[in-house]
Short mmCIF file of all heavy atoms in Angstrom, two decimals:
data_model
loop_
_atom_site.label_atom_id
_atom_site.label_comp_id
_atom_site.label_asym_id
_atom_site.label_seq_id
_atom_site.Cartn_x
_atom_site.Cartn_y
_atom_site.Cartn_z
N ILE Z 294 -38.24 -37.29 -10.48
CA ILE Z 294 -36.79 -37.48 -10.45
C ILE Z 294 -36.42 -38.88 -10.75
O ILE Z 294 -35.49 -39.23 -11.56
CB ILE Z 294 -36.18 -37.01 -9.15
CG1 ILE Z 294 -36.54 -35.54 -8.84
CG2 ILE Z 294 -34.71 -37.25 -9.13
CD1 ILE Z 294 -35.99 -35.04 -7.59
N ASP Z 295 -37.09 -39.83 -10.10
CA ASP Z 295 -36.89 -41.20 -10.41
C ASP Z 295 -37.11 -41.62 -11.85
O ASP Z 295 -36.33 -42.36 -12.47
CB ASP Z 295 -37.73 -42.10 -9.57
CG ASP Z 295 -37.29 -42.14 -8.08
OD1 ASP Z 295 -36.07 -41.75 -7.84
OD2 ASP Z 295 -38.08 -42.53 -7.20
N ALA Z 296 -38.10 -41.04 -12.50
CA ALA Z 296 -38.39 -41.25 -13.90
C ALA Z 296 -37.27 -40.73 -14.76
O ALA Z 296 -36.81 -41.38 -15.75
CB ALA Z 296 -39.77 -40.60 -14.30
N LYS Z 297 -36.75 -39.57 -14.35
CA LYS Z 297 -35.58 -38.95 -15.12
C LYS Z 297 -34.34 -39.92 -15.04
O LYS Z 297 -33.65 -40.10 -15.94
CB LYS Z 297 -35.19 -37.65 -14.53
CG LYS Z 297 -36.04 -36.57 -15.06
CD LYS Z 297 -35.38 -35.15 -14.69
CE LYS Z 297 -36.28 -34.00 -15.16
NZ LYS Z 297 -35.98 -32.79 -14.42
N VAL Z 298 -34.16 -40.44 -13.80
CA VAL Z 298 -33.01 -41.31 -13.57
C VAL Z 298 -33.10 -42.58 -14.43
O VAL Z 298 -32.22 -43.00 -15.17
CB VAL Z 298 -32.83 -41.76 -12.06
CG1 VAL Z 298 -31.74 -42.73 -11.93
CG2 VAL Z 298 -32.65 -40.58 -11.26
N ALA Z 299 -34.34 -43.15 -14.44
CA ALA Z 299 -34.53 -44.33 -15.23
C ALA Z 299 -34.32 -44.08 -16.70
O ALA Z 299 -33.70 -44.80 -17.45
CB ALA Z 299 -36.00 -44.90 -14.99
N LYS Z 300 -34.84 -42.95 -17.13
CA LYS Z 300 -34.69 -42.52 -18.58
C LYS Z 300 -33.22 -42.41 -18.92
O LYS Z 300 -32.76 -42.85 -19.98
CB LYS Z 300 -35.48 -41.27 -18.86
CG LYS Z 300 -35.69 -40.97 -20.31
CD LYS Z 300 -36.65 -39.80 -20.50
CE LYS Z 300 -36.14 -38.92 -21.52
NZ LYS Z 300 -36.05 -37.58 -21.23
N SER Z 301 -32.55 -41.74 -18.10
CA SER Z 301 -31.10 -41.45 -18.39
C SER Z 301 -30.31 -42.75 -18.38
O SER Z 301 -29.32 -42.96 -19.08
CB SER Z 301 -30.47 -40.45 -17.44
OG SER Z 301 -30.24 -41.03 -16.20
N LEU Z 302 -30.71 -43.69 -17.55
CA LEU Z 302 -30.04 -45.06 -17.55
C LEU Z 302 -30.25 -45.68 -18.85
O LEU Z 302 -29.32 -46.28 -19.43
CB LEU Z 302 -30.64 -45.90 -16.36
CG LEU Z 302 -30.05 -47.24 -16.12
CD1 LEU Z 302 -28.59 -47.17 -15.94
CD2 LEU Z 302 -30.73 -47.94 -14.99
N GLU Z 303 -31.50 -45.69 -19.36
CA GLU Z 303 -31.78 -46.28 -20.61
C GLU Z 303 -30.93 -45.71 -21.74
O GLU Z 303 -30.33 -46.41 -22.56
CB GLU Z 303 -33.29 -46.09 -21.02
CG GLU Z 303 -34.22 -46.97 -20.16
CD GLU Z 303 -33.81 -48.46 -20.23
OE1 GLU Z 303 -33.53 -48.92 -21.27
OE2 GLU Z 303 -33.80 -49.05 -19.15
N GLU Z 304 -30.92 -44.33 -21.73
CA GLU Z 304 -30.21 -43.61 -22.82
C GLU Z 304 -28.71 -43.94 -22.70
O GLU Z 304 -28.07 -44.18 -23.78
CB GLU Z 304 -30.32 -42.11 -22.50
CG GLU Z 304 -31.42 -41.45 -23.17
CD GLU Z 304 -31.48 -39.95 -22.88
OE1 GLU Z 304 -30.40 -39.31 -22.77
OE2 GLU Z 304 -32.59 -39.48 -22.82
N ALA Z 305 -28.19 -44.00 -21.45
CA ALA Z 305 -26.78 -44.32 -21.32
C ALA Z 305 -26.48 -45.69 -21.92
O ALA Z 305 -25.50 -45.91 -22.69
CB ALA Z 305 -26.33 -44.26 -19.90
N LYS Z 306 -27.39 -46.71 -21.56
CA LYS Z 306 -27.14 -48.08 -22.15
C LYS Z 306 -27.13 -48.08 -23.60
O LYS Z 306 -26.34 -48.71 -24.32
CB LYS Z 306 -28.17 -48.98 -21.62
CG LYS Z 306 -27.99 -49.32 -20.12
CD LYS Z 306 -28.99 -50.45 -19.65
CE LYS Z 306 -28.80 -50.64 -18.16
NZ LYS Z 306 -30.09 -51.17 -17.65
N GLU Z 307 -28.10 -47.27 -24.16
CA GLU Z 307 -28.17 -47.15 -25.66
C GLU Z 307 -27.02 -46.57 -26.31
O GLU Z 307 -26.36 -47.09 -27.24
CB GLU Z 307 -29.41 -46.25 -26.00
CG GLU Z 307 -30.70 -46.84 -26.26
CD GLU Z 307 -30.68 -47.89 -27.34
OE1 GLU Z 307 -30.19 -47.58 -28.43
OE2 GLU Z 307 -31.12 -49.03 -27.00
N THR Z 308 -26.58 -45.42 -25.76
CA THR Z 308 -25.37 -44.80 -26.33
C THR Z 308 -24.15 -45.63 -26.22
O THR Z 308 -23.25 -45.49 -27.16
CB THR Z 308 -25.13 -43.41 -25.58
OG1 THR Z 308 -26.39 -42.91 -25.14
CG2 THR Z 308 -24.35 -42.44 -26.37
N CYS Z 309 -24.05 -46.39 -25.20
CA CYS Z 309 -22.76 -47.07 -25.07
C CYS Z 309 -22.74 -48.49 -25.79
O CYS Z 309 -21.74 -49.15 -25.67
CB CYS Z 309 -22.53 -47.25 -23.56
SG CYS Z 309 -22.23 -45.72 -22.79
N LYS Z 310 -23.85 -48.75 -26.38
CA LYS Z 310 -23.96 -50.06 -27.05
C LYS Z 310 -22.83 -50.13 -28.16
O LYS Z 310 -22.20 -51.17 -28.27
CB LYS Z 310 -25.27 -50.25 -27.66
CG LYS Z 310 -26.03 -51.35 -26.99
CD LYS Z 310 -27.32 -51.71 -27.81
CE LYS Z 310 -28.39 -51.94 -26.72
NZ LYS Z 310 -29.74 -51.66 -27.12
N GLU Z 311 -22.68 -49.01 -28.89
CA GLU Z 311 -21.78 -49.07 -30.03
C GLU Z 311 -20.35 -49.08 -29.52
O GLU Z 311 -19.53 -49.80 -29.89
CB GLU Z 311 -21.98 -47.91 -30.99
CG GLU Z 311 -23.39 -47.87 -31.64
CD GLU Z 311 -24.35 -46.93 -30.72
OE1 GLU Z 311 -23.80 -45.84 -30.43
OE2 GLU Z 311 -25.40 -47.29 -30.41
N ASP Z 312 -20.04 -47.98 -28.71
CA ASP Z 312 -18.65 -47.77 -28.29
C ASP Z 312 -18.52 -47.35 -26.85
O ASP Z 312 -19.12 -46.30 -26.49
CB ASP Z 312 -17.99 -46.66 -29.22
CG ASP Z 312 -16.55 -46.50 -28.85
OD1 ASP Z 312 -15.94 -47.27 -28.07
OD2 ASP Z 312 -15.91 -45.51 -29.43
N GLU Z 313 -17.95 -48.19 -26.07
CA GLU Z 313 -17.97 -47.86 -24.57
C GLU Z 313 -17.03 -46.82 -24.27
O GLU Z 313 -17.11 -46.23 -23.20
CB GLU Z 313 -17.68 -49.13 -23.87
CG GLU Z 313 -18.83 -50.09 -23.84
CD GLU Z 313 -18.90 -50.79 -22.38
OE1 GLU Z 313 -17.92 -50.70 -21.66
OE2 GLU Z 313 -19.98 -51.40 -22.19
N THR Z 314 -16.04 -46.54 -25.14
CA THR Z 314 -15.06 -45.57 -24.79
C THR Z 314 -15.28 -44.19 -25.38
O THR Z 314 -14.46 -43.28 -25.26
CB THR Z 314 -13.60 -46.03 -25.10
OG1 THR Z 314 -13.64 -46.39 -26.50
CG2 THR Z 314 -13.22 -47.21 -24.28
N SER Z 315 -16.42 -44.07 -26.11
CA SER Z 315 -16.58 -42.79 -26.75
C SER Z 315 -17.00 -41.69 -25.77
O SER Z 315 -17.44 -41.91 -24.75
CB SER Z 315 -17.67 -42.86 -27.92
OG SER Z 315 -18.92 -43.16 -27.18
N ALA Z 316 -16.86 -40.40 -26.26
CA ALA Z 316 -17.20 -39.25 -25.42
C ALA Z 316 -18.66 -39.25 -25.17
O ALA Z 316 -19.04 -39.08 -23.98
CB ALA Z 316 -16.75 -37.95 -26.04
N PRO Z 317 -19.56 -39.44 -26.10
CA PRO Z 317 -21.03 -39.36 -25.80
C PRO Z 317 -21.40 -40.43 -24.70
O PRO Z 317 -22.29 -40.22 -23.90
CB PRO Z 317 -21.69 -39.75 -27.13
CG PRO Z 317 -20.73 -39.35 -28.17
CD PRO Z 317 -19.39 -39.57 -27.56
N CYS Z 318 -20.72 -41.56 -24.72
CA CYS Z 318 -20.97 -42.65 -23.69
C CYS Z 318 -20.63 -42.08 -22.30
O CYS Z 318 -21.44 -42.25 -21.37
CB CYS Z 318 -20.22 -43.87 -24.08
SG CYS Z 318 -20.33 -45.17 -22.78
N ALA Z 319 -19.48 -41.43 -22.28
CA ALA Z 319 -19.01 -40.89 -20.90
C ALA Z 319 -20.02 -39.80 -20.53
O ALA Z 319 -20.35 -39.78 -19.27
CB ALA Z 319 -17.62 -40.30 -21.04
N VAL Z 320 -20.44 -39.01 -21.43
CA VAL Z 320 -21.39 -37.86 -21.07
C VAL Z 320 -22.73 -38.50 -20.56
O VAL Z 320 -23.25 -38.03 -19.59
CB VAL Z 320 -21.66 -36.95 -22.25
CG1 VAL Z 320 -22.69 -35.99 -21.99
CG2 VAL Z 320 -20.34 -36.32 -22.71
N ALA Z 321 -23.20 -39.58 -21.28
CA ALA Z 321 -24.46 -40.18 -20.86
C ALA Z 321 -24.36 -40.74 -19.48
O ALA Z 321 -25.27 -40.60 -18.67
CB ALA Z 321 -24.84 -41.27 -21.87
N TRP Z 322 -23.24 -41.42 -19.22
CA TRP Z 322 -23.14 -42.02 -17.79
C TRP Z 322 -22.92 -40.86 -16.80
O TRP Z 322 -23.36 -40.99 -15.65
CB TRP Z 322 -21.92 -42.96 -17.73
CG TRP Z 322 -22.26 -44.34 -18.27
CD1 TRP Z 322 -21.67 -44.95 -19.31
CD2 TRP Z 322 -23.25 -45.25 -17.76
NE1 TRP Z 322 -22.23 -46.21 -19.46
CE2 TRP Z 322 -23.17 -46.39 -18.56
CE3 TRP Z 322 -24.21 -45.18 -16.70
CZ2 TRP Z 322 -23.96 -47.44 -18.37
CZ3 TRP Z 322 -25.09 -46.20 -16.44
CH2 TRP Z 322 -24.95 -47.39 -17.36
N ASP Z 323 -22.28 -39.73 -17.17
CA ASP Z 323 -22.17 -38.71 -16.25
C ASP Z 323 -23.46 -38.05 -15.89
O ASP Z 323 -23.72 -37.72 -14.69
CB ASP Z 323 -21.19 -37.52 -16.97
CG ASP Z 323 -20.82 -36.49 -15.96
OD1 ASP Z 323 -20.49 -36.85 -14.81
OD2 ASP Z 323 -20.91 -35.33 -16.37
N GLU Z 324 -24.33 -37.96 -16.87
CA GLU Z 324 -25.69 -37.44 -16.65
C GLU Z 324 -26.53 -38.36 -15.70
O GLU Z 324 -27.11 -37.92 -14.79
CB GLU Z 324 -26.39 -37.22 -17.97
CG GLU Z 324 -27.66 -36.54 -17.91
CD GLU Z 324 -28.30 -36.44 -19.24
OE1 GLU Z 324 -27.68 -36.11 -20.20
OE2 GLU Z 324 -29.53 -36.72 -19.38
N TYR Z 325 -26.34 -39.69 -15.93
CA TYR Z 325 -27.04 -40.57 -15.05
C TYR Z 325 -26.50 -40.49 -13.59
O TYR Z 325 -27.24 -40.52 -12.67
CB TYR Z 325 -26.78 -42.10 -15.63
CG TYR Z 325 -26.95 -43.15 -14.64
CD1 TYR Z 325 -28.24 -43.43 -14.16
CD2 TYR Z 325 -25.89 -43.76 -14.05
CE1 TYR Z 325 -28.46 -44.43 -13.19
CE2 TYR Z 325 -26.14 -44.74 -13.07
CZ TYR Z 325 -27.41 -45.03 -12.64
OH TYR Z 325 -27.60 -46.05 -11.70
N GLU Z 326 -25.20 -40.35 -13.47
CA GLU Z 326 -24.60 -40.17 -12.19
C GLU Z 326 -25.11 -39.03 -11.46
O GLU Z 326 -25.50 -38.99 -10.19
CB GLU Z 326 -23.07 -40.11 -12.39
CG GLU Z 326 -22.27 -39.83 -11.14
CD GLU Z 326 -22.59 -40.76 -9.92
OE1 GLU Z 326 -22.78 -42.01 -10.22
OE2 GLU Z 326 -22.64 -40.29 -8.85
N GLU Z 327 -25.21 -37.90 -12.20
CA GLU Z 327 -25.68 -36.63 -11.63
C GLU Z 327 -27.13 -36.78 -11.17
O GLU Z 327 -27.50 -36.37 -10.06
CB GLU Z 327 -25.59 -35.53 -12.69
CG GLU Z 327 -25.86 -34.15 -12.18
CD GLU Z 327 -25.95 -33.09 -13.27
OE1 GLU Z 327 -25.56 -33.39 -14.38
OE2 GLU Z 327 -26.55 -32.06 -12.98
N LEU Z 328 -27.97 -37.42 -12.03
CA LEU Z 328 -29.36 -37.57 -11.57
C LEU Z 328 -29.52 -38.59 -10.48
O LEU Z 328 -30.42 -38.32 -9.58
CB LEU Z 328 -30.17 -37.99 -12.87
CG LEU Z 328 -30.41 -36.93 -13.88
CD1 LEU Z 328 -30.85 -37.41 -15.20
CD2 LEU Z 328 -31.52 -35.87 -13.27
N ALA Z 329 -28.70 -39.59 -10.50
CA ALA Z 329 -28.91 -40.62 -9.38
C ALA Z 329 -28.45 -39.89 -8.07
O ALA Z 329 -29.16 -40.16 -7.04
CB ALA Z 329 -28.01 -41.80 -9.70
N ALA Z 330 -27.44 -39.09 -8.06
CA ALA Z 330 -27.03 -38.37 -6.93
C ALA Z 330 -28.10 -37.49 -6.44
O ALA Z 330 -28.47 -37.43 -5.19
CB ALA Z 330 -25.74 -37.58 -7.09
N GLU Z 331 -28.79 -36.73 -7.35
CA GLU Z 331 -29.86 -35.85 -7.01
C GLU Z 331 -31.02 -36.59 -6.49
O GLU Z 331 -31.69 -36.17 -5.56
CB GLU Z 331 -30.23 -35.07 -8.24
CG GLU Z 331 -31.06 -33.87 -7.91
CD GLU Z 331 -30.59 -32.97 -6.90
OE1 GLU Z 331 -29.34 -32.79 -6.74
OE2 GLU Z 331 -31.38 -32.50 -6.07
N ALA Z 332 -31.39 -37.75 -7.01
CA ALA Z 332 -32.43 -38.62 -6.51
C ALA Z 332 -32.13 -38.99 -5.05
O ALA Z 332 -33.06 -39.02 -4.21
CB ALA Z 332 -32.62 -39.76 -7.45
N ALA Z 333 -30.91 -39.42 -4.89
CA ALA Z 333 -30.56 -39.85 -3.50
C ALA Z 333 -30.75 -38.75 -2.49
O ALA Z 333 -31.23 -38.88 -1.39
CB ALA Z 333 -29.18 -40.42 -3.44
N HIS Z 334 -30.30 -37.57 -2.92
CA HIS Z 334 -30.40 -36.35 -2.00
C HIS Z 334 -31.91 -36.05 -1.74
O HIS Z 334 -32.29 -35.62 -0.72
CB HIS Z 334 -29.73 -35.14 -2.68
CG HIS Z 334 -28.18 -35.18 -2.64
ND1 HIS Z 334 -27.41 -34.82 -3.67
CD2 HIS Z 334 -27.36 -35.78 -1.72
CE1 HIS Z 334 -26.21 -35.11 -3.38
NE2 HIS Z 334 -26.12 -35.65 -2.27
N ALA Z 335 -32.71 -36.13 -2.81
CA ALA Z 335 -34.14 -35.85 -2.66
C ALA Z 335 -34.76 -36.84 -1.74
O ALA Z 335 -35.64 -36.41 -0.89
CB ALA Z 335 -34.81 -35.95 -4.07
N ARG Z 336 -34.33 -38.08 -1.77
CA ARG Z 336 -34.87 -39.09 -0.82
C ARG Z 336 -34.58 -38.75 0.57
O ARG Z 336 -35.35 -38.75 1.50
CB ARG Z 336 -34.26 -40.47 -1.14
CG ARG Z 336 -35.17 -41.34 -1.98
CD ARG Z 336 -34.55 -42.70 -2.28
NE ARG Z 336 -33.87 -42.69 -3.58
CZ ARG Z 336 -32.78 -43.19 -3.87
NH1 ARG Z 336 -32.02 -43.76 -2.93
NH2 ARG Z 336 -32.26 -43.12 -5.07
N ASP Z 337 -33.27 -38.26 0.74
CA ASP Z 337 -32.85 -37.90 2.13
C ASP Z 337 -33.61 -36.70 2.58
O ASP Z 337 -34.06 -36.63 3.74
CB ASP Z 337 -31.35 -37.56 2.16
CG ASP Z 337 -30.50 -38.82 1.90
OD1 ASP Z 337 -31.05 -39.91 2.23
OD2 ASP Z 337 -29.40 -38.69 1.55
N ARG Z 338 -33.83 -35.69 1.70
CA ARG Z 338 -34.49 -34.45 2.02
C ARG Z 338 -35.95 -34.80 2.47
O ARG Z 338 -36.50 -34.26 3.29
CB ARG Z 338 -34.62 -33.54 0.86
CG ARG Z 338 -33.45 -32.57 0.84
CD ARG Z 338 -33.79 -31.39 -0.05
NE ARG Z 338 -34.10 -31.69 -1.42
CZ ARG Z 338 -33.26 -31.74 -2.36
NH1 ARG Z 338 -32.06 -31.31 -2.20
NH2 ARG Z 338 -33.53 -32.12 -3.61
N LYS Z 339 -36.54 -35.81 1.71
CA LYS Z 339 -37.95 -36.11 1.96
C LYS Z 339 -38.10 -36.74 3.29
O LYS Z 339 -38.96 -36.42 4.05
CB LYS Z 339 -38.44 -37.11 0.84
CG LYS Z 339 -39.90 -37.25 0.93
CD LYS Z 339 -40.46 -37.97 -0.39
CE LYS Z 339 -40.84 -39.39 -0.02
NZ LYS Z 339 -41.49 -40.08 -1.15
N LYS Z 340 -37.13 -37.59 3.66
CA LYS Z 340 -37.16 -38.22 5.00
C LYS Z 340 -37.06 -37.22 6.07
O LYS Z 340 -37.71 -37.20 7.08
CB LYS Z 340 -35.93 -39.13 5.14
CG LYS Z 340 -36.33 -40.63 4.97
CD LYS Z 340 -35.14 -41.56 5.26
CE LYS Z 340 -34.49 -42.01 4.00
NZ LYS Z 340 -33.04 -42.43 4.14
N LEU Z 341 -36.18 -36.18 5.88
CA LEU Z 341 -36.05 -35.09 6.84
C LEU Z 341 -37.26 -34.18 6.85
O LEU Z 341 -37.65 -33.75 7.98
CB LEU Z 341 -34.74 -34.34 6.60
CG LEU Z 341 -33.49 -35.06 6.94
CD1 LEU Z 341 -32.31 -34.17 6.67
CD2 LEU Z 341 -33.44 -35.42 8.45
N SER Z 342 -37.77 -33.90 5.68
CA SER Z 342 -38.88 -32.85 5.64
C SER Z 342 -40.12 -33.32 6.25
O SER Z 342 -41.01 -32.61 6.51
CB SER Z 342 -38.99 -32.40 4.31
OG SER Z 342 -39.75 -33.44 3.50
N GLN Z 343 -40.23 -34.67 6.43
CA GLN Z 343 -41.48 -35.14 6.96
C GLN Z 343 -41.78 -34.63 8.36
O GLN Z 343 -42.93 -34.42 8.83
CB GLN Z 343 -41.60 -36.62 6.95
CG GLN Z 343 -42.10 -37.14 5.57
CD GLN Z 343 -41.70 -38.55 5.35
OE1 GLN Z 343 -41.05 -39.21 6.11
NE2 GLN Z 343 -42.04 -38.99 4.13
N ASP Z 344 -40.68 -34.38 9.12
CA ASP Z 344 -40.84 -33.86 10.43
C ASP Z 344 -39.81 -32.73 10.59
O ASP Z 344 -38.64 -33.03 10.74
CB ASP Z 344 -40.63 -34.96 11.48
CG ASP Z 344 -40.88 -34.50 12.85
OD1 ASP Z 344 -41.11 -33.19 13.06
OD2 ASP Z 344 -40.86 -35.23 13.81
#
Side-chain angles (χ1 to χ4, degrees):
Chain Z
I294 302 179
D295 285 342
K297 277 194 181 157
V298 175
K300 193 167 134 232
S301 73
L302 181 59
E303 288 308 315
E304 267 180 38
K306 285 184 187 157
E307 268 302 311
T308 324
C309 295
K310 249 190 220 152
E311 302 93 46
D312 184 7
E313 284 216 347
T314 52
S315 67
C318 177
V320 175
W322 280 120
D323 189 43
E324 190 180 313
Y325 160 72
E326 172 58 36
E327 188 189 342
L328 284 165
E331 192 50 38
H334 290 141
R336 260 177 267 138
D337 291 337
R338 268 200 301 265
K339 193 165 105 172
K340 257 185 259 157
L341 286 180
S342 72
Q343 271 156 7
D344 184 354

